[in-house]
Amino acid sequence: MSDFDISNYQLDEADGVFTYKNQNTTLGFVRFNEKAEVEYIFVNPIFRKKGIAKKLLNLVKDKTGKKPIPQDPISPLGKKLFKII
């Protein structure tokens, strides 16, 4: 994994979502709440393995002052699948 120079990309923040993007595509985003529970995190496959997810999670930590944790899945099936992963 190489560190990616994120300075050439735009960071947007709105309603519990951080998004890295350029004028052509979204590199990645994270959706979270005030308890630092991460509902969803996505990194564009082209930009994976470059530290973007880590940077997004660090933004959540800086914003909330808490270590990010996965949010519990809504469905019972989701809880079973989450334990497998």
Side-chain angles (χ1 to χ4, degrees):
M1 176 177 73
S2 63
D3 265 340
F4 191 68
D5 182 12
I6 215 78
S7 63
N8 297 325
Y9 297 91
Q10 180 179 345
L11 173 65
D12 288 340
E13 178 187 357
D15 299 328
V17 178
F18 285 116
T19 305
Y20 275 123
K21 61 185 178 179
N22 63 22
Q23 68 186 78
N24 297 319
T25 191
T26 296
L27 281 66
F29 67 90
V30 62
R31 181 176 182 84
F32 62 98
N33 62 26
E34 67 279 347
K35 297 187 282 186
E37 294 173 328
V38 174
E39 178 181 328
Y40 195 84
I41 186 165
F42 167 81
V43 176
N44 184 321
I46 296 169
F47 297 97
R48 290 185 183 163
K49 303 288 185 186
K50 299 183 184 300
I52 294 172
K54 184 183 282 189
K55 290 179 188 301
L56 288 165
L57 292 173
N58 282 332
L59 287 168
V60 172
K61 183 178 180 182
D62 293 344
K63 176 76 175 185
T64 63
K66 300 173 185 171
K67 182 180 176 183
I69 58 171
Q71 190 175 52
D72 284 337
I74 295 171
S75 75
L77 178 60
K79 288 183 181 187
K80 289 178 185 176
L81 291 174
F82 192 78
K83 288 179 183 177
I84 294 171
I85 296 174

